[in-house]
Amino acid sequence: LDGDTEWDRAIGPMQFIPGTWARWGESLEGGSPDPHNVDDAALTAARYLCGEGRDLASAQDWESAVLEYNRSSAYVSDVLAYAHAYADAA
């Protein structure tokens, strides 16, 4: 997707790796999904995080979704802190 035939690098605004994009990529307006299109990337992120029947209103499913994205407890803690900061500011 980035033209590099040797390495699978994260691409687009949501930083998808090609294998994940191939499985979950979807176009908001139909047609071929584009990982560089912010609308397609946001829709794909939602599909990916809510995949496997996860309900992000559930704390356990939310954590499972973030771990699916990046298997790091430190990453989960960081995302949770940013989510709380965002909610508090809203």
Side-chain angles (χ1 to χ4, degrees), residues 3 8 10 37 49 55 58 65 68 74 76:
D8 279 341
N37 177 297
L49 293 172
D55 176 358
S58 154
E68 181 76 17
V76 171

Side-chain angles (χ1 to χ4, degrees), residues 4-67:
D4 188 327
T5 58
E6 186 175 350
W7 303 101
D8 279 341
R9 292 188 175 97
I11 52 170
M14 301 299 278
Q15 293 291 282
F16 279 98
I17 59 170
T20 303
W21 184 263
R23 179 172 179 200
W24 296 101
E26 188 163 329
S27 174
L28 183 65
E29 297 188 15
S32 183
D34 179 359
H36 300 287
N37 177 297
V38 71
D39 295 326
D40 291 357
L43 173 60
T44 298
R47 292 184 68 235
Y48 178 56
L49 293 172
C50 293
E52 311 302 327
R54 286 186 290 264
D55 176 358
L56 299 188
S58 154
Q60 182 177 356
D61 282 359
W62 186 92
E63 184 174 333
S64 171
V66 177
L67 281 170

